[in-house]
Amino acid sequence: MAMADDDYVYDEASGEWISAANAAAATDAIDPVEVRDSVGNLLADGDQVTLIKDLTVKGAGQTLKRGTLIKSIRLTGDAQEIDCRYDGIKGLVLRAEFVRKR
């Protein structure tokens, strides 16, 4: 019978195996990245944003016009990038400097 203390996970940052309890404590201690839009508003998962500039989407052959509403964004862990969905474009990642929170 295995005990919870015997569980180990691989820590990619250090390249070592650490106990699951230590890994859970380490992830709780990490501060989340603050993502701010073009005017300084704090963004969160699920927010709606509006584009402030026409953007050409590479690989999609499409241009997103200024004022386009993007619903239900997701934060990526990078302070400058947000992940979102838009009709006909898979895997759309936008720079936070080109959006404004709605």
Side-chain angles (χ1 to χ4, degrees), residues 34-66:
E34 285 189 354
V35 180
R36 297 194 177 266
D37 68 358
S38 61
V39 293
N41 296 324
L42 190 61
L43 296 174
D45 286 340
D47 282 346
Q48 293 182 355
V49 295
T50 304
L51 296 179
I52 63 166
K53 178 180 177 180
D54 290 352
L55 298 174
T56 303
V57 181
K58 293 181 181 177
Q62 191 173 357
T63 300
L64 297 176
K65 299 293 184 184
R66 185 179 74 183

Side-chain angles (χ1 to χ4, degrees), residues 10-33:
Y10 184 73
D11 181 28
E12 293 180 7
S14 67
E16 299 177 356
W17 288 91
I18 58 174
S19 71
N22 288 345
T27 56
D28 290 343
I30 297 174
D31 292 329
V33 176

